[in-house]
Amino acid sequence: MNIIVGQSGGPSVAINATLAGIAIGGIKNPKIDKVYGMLHGIDGILNENLVLLNSYVDRFEVMARTPSMALGSCRIKLPPVEQKEIYEKIYAILKKYDIGAIYYIGGNDSMDTVDKLSKYFKLHDIPIQVVGVPKTIDNDLMGSDHTPGYGSAAKYLCNTMEEIICDSCIYPTPNIVVVEIMGRNSGWLTLAAGMPRFRGKIMPQIVILPEQPFYEKEFLEKCRELLVRDRTVVVVCSEGIKDEDGEYAGMSTKSGAVDIFGHAYLSGVGKYLEGLIKKEIGCKVRSIELNVVQRCSAHLASACDLREAAEIGMEAVRASMAEGLTGVMFGFERVSDQPYEMKIIYHSVGESANYEKKVPEEWFNTDDVTVQKEIRDYITPLIAGDVSVRRKPDGSPDYEILYRDFYPNTEA
Amino acid sequence: MNIIVGQSGGPSVAINATLAGIAIGGIKNPKIDKVYGMLHGIDGILNENLVLLNSYVDRFEVMARTPSMALGSCRIKLPPVEQKEIYEKIYAILKKYDIGAIYYIGGNDSMDTVDKLSKYFKLHDIPIQVVGVPKTIDNDLMGSDHTPGYGSAAKYLCNTMEEIICDSCIYPTPNIVVVEIMGRNSGWLTLAAGMPRFRGKIMPQIVILPEQPFYEKEFLEKCRELLVRDRTVVVVCSEGIKDEDGEYAGMSTKSGAVDIFGHAYLSGVGKYLEGLIKKEIGCKVRSIELNVVQRCSAHLASACDLREAAEIGMEAVRASMAEGLTGVMFGFERVSDQPYEMKIIYHSVGESANYEKKVPEEWFNTDDVTVQKEIRDYITPLIAGDVSVRRKPDGSPDYEILYRDFYPNTEA
């Protein structure tokens, strides 16, 4: 029997470690002959665009520390299982390659693919196992204490915020710095950006989660008070904060504003808060959008994150082969914070697909010291440990993008 | 005799290493009793806001690896030396503290301060030496092969670009990523962001310097060609690129566009290029503004940069005391690329003040392999070597902001 593995959704620093874990788990497993990789997720099956990972074992170590996705990604949502055509096509190709199990690494949408494929195969008595392995920097997957990829993004954010805070306080004039953080519907990454504060520092003074409605007036009042008290005010806010009407803050639908090309003006929330502060307070203000750098900074990867990402991949292969699992997603259950102990678990993927795990309501009041301690205790072990970046003789990071072998022009 | 040191202009990762170098050089020098620091540059003298650095020696080692400016900064331009009032005030305070020499760390504007103060003191036979020590991530100071701060920012940029390139290639659809880099009038940092290319990779394919006029049509043509050839196109551009009329690209003065608050729409150049590509090509496009993170990422500091930054500070004190120098700026002269060898020099500060060193015309054609080699040879030694970040028990970086002692609310 052969198995196949794919990556899907947005990239992270840890998803290649999971890929390496699955591939190594597969290669070592006596039940398994070959481990295939699909290029660009489920697209790779549909286009028969497969690679034999057994040939790349000597490159796994570097690949596991390379950001982004070594097999490429896709954003495809499968139709309902009643629309047989696409499923039949997938099955025909899997059969051709004697595939007995699919491992799909991804977030909510990818778990939907796992759910549908496994349902289709069960419905038609096809003996192909389908197993989901989690990945998302957003940490918003149900059924897991946290997700591989979150720890490294969280570590990047709390380090970078320390540095931005140093950078923000140098002038004697009152000023506000707004930092926009990824996470459209959940504030896990924004909490990580607030870590300097949760470790007992003054800054960032304001943490804005997308789970709560954003009130302009309240925000401006808080800014004015803090400017007097601290002179420099640092704000971290989720890209997805919404106003009282549930509309994303910073959207132009109400204002009718247009950019220089005449398009509707869709600023990020950082730029929106910058404009708001400029207009209403008039002090010096700067906004920073950390953008994709927060999901690809492998040089600041968390050792805990990469280790767990590889382990969950290996365990997913071991357990699914031993127990014949299908339609499940693997995840973590936290046994204890101190010492940090984690258990790998699995459950029905239907419990995760298409749901989002939000920051719990008890954590909304980030001014409360008990809340601060709980957040700190939750995040601290996940960002622990440095990973050394292997460098080439010229000093550049030695990253391993497997697909450069298949698409010669993506990287030289 | 006592001396005083100040920091001015924008922050960098290396300016505290220079501060430490000057302070240690002063403390060890038998001619010098006390080393004072001015808080917020020249403002610190005017407000008699001084600190005795001799008391902080045990914190210099960590301070030298801390981003931003340990003494705070200012942006003050002194009036012509004929307007005596402010100069008399400065002199009175310096006299009170028995100051025999001023060391001022900064860029072009700060060297103007050094120039004027030294001229005023000479004119009035006041025996106070005034010495400039360079600092700027922009690398645009005349009279120095490069400036402390540039190497670390350059290292951050070429590392981060490697990671952004990994992140950009994962989808099977054609896409363009535009990364906006600091440097309004000179393209030194943009060249550093292009380093993956100058090391022989395909990406970034397009490098846009501010020294050359930007032509929309030519740019779009190149993008279209590269999309076909490489599928993913990565562009690095200076924040200060100008169109054919010498107007900053992305300004709204022509278009009359406004933001959601009714302000003139002043997008960064990244957003402008994103909008241009969206309108004219219509492919997937993302723009990234690296913002202050490129000047404060101490965790990616260049060991060469921090070492040189400290050395130039120490040498400035030693040489100026030994030779009675005033009105000079210290700098580097490159003796050789391989092995890398640098000599510390000085010359009249008037040669640096208010001038900007641009990228030479011979380097504009970044498609030429000889040019690529020259750029690589210039930058490679400056970004060499890692600096370990000292961490607190909770894993957070141990940064030392000296002024937290004086402004209790700037950092807890």
Side-chain angles (χ1 to χ4, degrees):
Chain A
M1 179 181 75
N2 304 321
I3 65 170
I4 191 164
V5 53
Q7 299 174 308
S8 163
S12 83
V13 155
I15 188 168
N16 288 328
T18 301
L19 173 64
I22 292 171
I24 292 168
I27 290 166
K28 284 188 179 165
N29 196 298
K31 287 190 186 167
I32 297 168
D33 298 318
K34 292 178 187 163
V35 180
Y36 287 99
M38 40 184 127
L39 293 177
H40 300 297
I42 208 76
D43 242 2
I45 300 184
L46 289 165
N47 302 325
E48 223 176 310
N49 210 349
L50 311 180
V51 288
L52 186 63
L53 289 173
N54 304 58
S55 331
Y56 294 97
V57 179
D58 58 327
R59 285 158 66 179
F60 285 170
E61 197 199 323
V62 176
M63 182 186 79
R65 288 185 275 177
T66 296
S68 184
M69 295 151 93
L71 294 176
S73 185
C74 69
R75 289 206 183 271
I76 289 175
K77 201 169 168 96
L78 290 177
V81 289
E82 292 75 32
Q83 294 177 35
K84 287 182 179 182
E85 201 186 345
I86 193 168
Y87 294 96
E88 284 171 354
K89 189 172 175 191
I90 291 172
Y91 174 50
I93 294 162
L94 293 174
K95 205 176 160 191
K96 178 174 164 188
Y97 286 87
D98 190 25
I99 303 292
I102 300 175
Y103 298 86
Y104 212 50
I105 317 168
N108 298 300
D109 293 338
S110 313
M111 292 311 136
D112 179 71
T113 299
V114 172
D115 194 32
K116 284 176 177 156
L117 273 179
S118 64
K119 278 184 180 145
Y120 177 86
F121 292 152
K122 274 184 209 161
L123 209 62
H124 298 271
D125 282 326
I126 296 169
I128 298 179
Q129 294 168 252
V130 191
V131 173
V133 189
K135 168 263 17 171
T136 166
I137 63 162
D138 292 333
N139 200 37
D140 62 349
L141 268 175
M142 299 291 276
S144 190
D145 174 79
H146 61 279
T147 52
Y150 175 67
S152 294
K155 181 175 166 189
Y156 169 82
L157 286 171
C158 86
N159 263 270
T160 297
M161 285 310 303
E162 300 260 5
E163 294 172 336
I164 289 175
I165 289 166
C166 287
D167 190 273
S168 303
C169 308
I170 55 163
Y171 293 110
T173 37
N175 69 311
I176 300 181
V177 176
V178 178
V179 187
E180 177 181 331
I181 310 293
M182 280 180 162
R184 195 145 272 271
N185 298 312
S186 70
W188 296 104
L189 287 173
T190 303
L191 287 182
M195 268 300 269
R197 168 177 178 70
F198 303 136
R199 280 167 169 160
K201 294 203 181 184
I202 284 176
M203 296 176 190
Q205 293 100 324
I206 301 179
V207 176
I208 312 176
L209 303 174
E211 282 89 351
Q212 280 190 296
F214 172 73
Y215 299 101
E216 288 190 354
K217 215 183 127 190
E218 213 174 79
F219 169 72
L220 289 166
E221 250 165 54
K222 212 168 171 184
C223 284
R224 282 194 189 93
E225 269 171 39
L226 289 164
L227 277 173
V228 173
R229 194 190 78 181
D230 300 341
R231 192 181 61 189
T232 296
V233 181
V234 178
V235 180
V236 288
C237 67
S238 150
E239 61 179 341
I241 60 173
K242 293 167 204 79
D243 64 17
E244 300 106 296
D245 307 327
E247 191 181 15
Y248 283 117
M251 288 295 163
S252 65
T253 35
K254 287 189 243 175
S255 71
V258 291
D259 70 12
I260 61 169
F261 299 104
H263 297 138
Y265 179 98
L266 295 178
S267 79
V269 72
K271 284 268 172 256
Y272 152 71
L273 292 179
E274 181 184 327
L276 181 70
I277 291 165
K278 210 176 274 169
K279 183 181 169 218
E280 297 294 337
I281 303 183
C283 68
K284 202 179 146 191
V285 56
R286 177 194 286 275
S287 69
I288 301 167
E289 187 193 347
L290 290 175
N291 214 310
V292 301
V293 184
Q294 62 202 290
R295 74 181 186 198
C296 68
S297 288
H299 71 276
L300 266 181
S302 145
C304 169
D305 186 28
L306 293 204
R307 189 184 58 244
E308 288 184 348
E311 280 171 4
I312 201 170
M314 272 189 276
E315 174 61 11
V317 175
R318 193 206 59 76
S320 60
M321 285 295 128
E323 301 171 38
L325 304 169
T326 189
V328 298
M329 183 191 88
F330 279 75
F332 297 116
E333 187 182 292
R334 191 178 294 222
V335 181
S336 80
D337 283 332
Q338 273 180 325
Y340 174 69
E341 203 187 318
M342 204 53 68
K343 203 169 83 181
I344 296 174
I345 55 166
Y346 62 83
H347 48 74
S348 165
V349 72
E351 291 169 33
S352 299
N354 303 311
Y355 294 100
E356 288 171 318
K357 185 181 74 175
K358 304 286 177 76
V359 170
E361 215 177 311
E362 312 89 80
W363 285 4
F364 288 177
N365 180 15
T366 55
D367 285 339
D368 184 280
V369 289
T370 313
V371 169
Q372 292 183 357
K373 186 188 176 310
E374 285 175 11
I375 294 170
R376 186 170 60 243
D377 289 349
Y378 174 73
I379 295 177
T380 300
L382 307 183
I383 61 177
D386 292 338
V387 177
S388 67
V389 170
R390 203 161 82 173
R391 292 190 185 278
K392 296 182 182 163
D394 68 0
S396 64
D398 189 7
Y399 291 140
E400 179 65 274
I401 298 297
L402 222 52
Y403 56 58
R404 72 176 183 188
D405 288 21
F406 321 115
Y407 303 104
N409 282 340
T410 47
E411 152 135 321
Chain B
M1 179 181 78
N2 303 322
I3 65 169
I4 192 164
V5 53
Q7 298 174 309
S8 166
S12 82
V13 155
I15 188 167
N16 289 327
T18 301
L19 174 64
I22 291 172
I24 291 168
I27 289 166
K28 284 189 179 164
N29 195 298
K31 288 189 186 167
I32 296 166
D33 298 320
K34 291 176 187 166
V35 180
Y36 287 100
M38 40 184 128
L39 293 177
H40 300 298
I42 208 75
D43 242 1
I45 300 184
L46 289 163
N47 302 325
E48 224 176 310
N49 210 349
L50 311 180
V51 290
L52 186 63
L53 290 172
N54 304 60
S55 329
Y56 294 97
V57 179
D58 58 327
R59 284 158 65 180
F60 285 172
E61 197 200 324
V62 177
M63 183 186 80
R65 286 186 276 178
T66 297
S68 186
M69 294 151 94
L71 295 175
S73 186
C74 71
R75 289 206 184 270
I76 288 175
K77 200 168 169 97
L78 290 178
V81 290
E82 292 74 31
Q83 293 177 39
K84 287 183 178 179
E85 203 186 342
I86 195 169
Y87 293 95
E88 282 170 356
K89 192 173 172 192
I90 290 171
Y91 174 48
I93 294 162
L94 293 175
K95 206 176 159 190
K96 181 175 163 189
Y97 286 88
D98 191 24
I99 303 292
I102 301 176
Y103 298 87
Y104 212 50
I105 318 168
N108 298 299
D109 294 339
S110 313
M111 292 310 134
D112 179 70
T113 299
V114 172
D115 194 31
K116 284 174 177 157
L117 273 179
S118 63
K119 279 186 179 144
Y120 177 85
F121 291 154
K122 273 184 210 162
L123 209 61
H124 298 273
D125 283 327
I126 296 169
I128 299 178
Q129 296 167 250
V130 191
V131 173
V133 189
K135 165 258 28 163
T136 167
I137 62 162
D138 292 332
N139 200 37
D140 62 350
L141 267 175
M142 298 291 277
S144 190
D145 175 79
H146 62 279
T147 53
Y150 175 66
S152 294
K155 181 176 166 186
Y156 170 82
L157 286 171
C158 85
N159 263 270
T160 298
M161 285 309 303
E162 299 259 6
E163 293 170 340
I164 289 174
I165 290 167
C166 288
D167 190 275
S168 303
C169 309
I170 56 166
Y171 293 110
T173 38
N175 70 310
I176 299 182
V177 176
V178 178
V179 187
E180 177 183 331
I181 310 293
M182 279 182 164
R184 196 147 271 273
N185 300 311
S186 69
W188 297 104
L189 288 172
T190 303
L191 287 183
M195 269 298 270
R197 167 177 178 70
F198 304 136
R199 280 167 168 160
K201 292 200 183 186
I202 285 177
M203 296 175 189
Q205 293 99 325
I206 301 179
V207 176
I208 312 176
L209 304 173
E211 282 88 351
Q212 279 192 296
F214 172 73
Y215 299 101
E216 289 190 354
K217 215 184 129 192
E218 211 174 83
F219 169 73
L220 290 166
E221 250 165 54
K222 212 167 169 182
C223 284
R224 284 195 188 94
E225 268 172 39
L226 290 163
L227 278 172
V228 173
R229 194 190 76 180
D230 300 339
R231 190 182 63 191
T232 295
V233 181
V234 178
V235 179
V236 289
C237 66
S238 151
E239 61 179 341
I241 61 173
K242 293 166 204 83
D243 63 18
E244 300 106 294
D245 307 326
E247 192 180 14
Y248 283 117
M251 289 295 164
S252 65
T253 35
K254 287 188 240 174
S255 71
V258 292
D259 71 12
I260 63 170
F261 300 103
H263 296 139
Y265 179 98
L266 296 178
S267 80
V269 71
K271 284 266 173 258
Y272 152 70
L273 292 180
E274 181 184 327
L276 180 69
I277 291 165
K278 210 177 273 167
K279 185 183 166 219
E280 298 294 336
I281 303 184
C283 67
K284 202 177 146 195
V285 55
R286 176 194 288 274
S287 70
I288 302 168
E289 186 193 347
L290 290 175
N291 214 310
V292 302
V293 184
Q294 61 202 290
R295 74 182 186 198
C296 68
S297 289
H299 71 274
L300 265 182
S302 145
C304 170
D305 186 27
L306 292 204
R307 188 184 60 243
E308 288 184 346
E311 281 172 1
I312 201 170
M314 273 191 274
E315 174 62 11
V317 175
R318 193 206 60 75
S320 60
M321 285 293 129
E323 304 171 36
L325 305 168
T326 189
V328 298
M329 183 191 90
F330 279 75
F332 297 117
E333 187 183 292
R334 190 178 294 222
V335 181
S336 78
D337 283 334
Q338 273 180 326
Y340 174 68
E341 202 187 321
M342 204 51 71
K343 202 168 82 181
I344 296 174
I345 55 165
Y346 62 84
H347 49 73
S348 165
V349 73
E351 293 170 31
S352 300
N354 304 310
Y355 295 99
E356 288 172 318
K357 186 181 73 177
K358 306 287 178 72
V359 170
E361 218 177 309
E362 310 90 78
W363 284 5
F364 288 178
N365 181 15
T366 55
D367 284 340
D368 183 281
V369 289
T370 313
V371 168
Q372 293 183 357
K373 184 188 179 311
E374 285 175 11
I375 294 170
R376 184 170 64 243
D377 288 350
Y378 174 74
I379 295 177
T380 300
L382 308 182
I383 61 178
D386 291 339
V387 176
S388 66
V389 171
R390 203 159 81 174
R391 294 190 184 277
K392 296 181 182 162
D394 68 0
S396 64
D398 189 5
Y399 290 139
E400 177 67 271
I401 298 296
L402 222 53
Y403 57 56
R404 72 177 185 189
D405 287 23
F406 321 114
Y407 304 103
N409 281 340
T410 46
E411 153 132 319

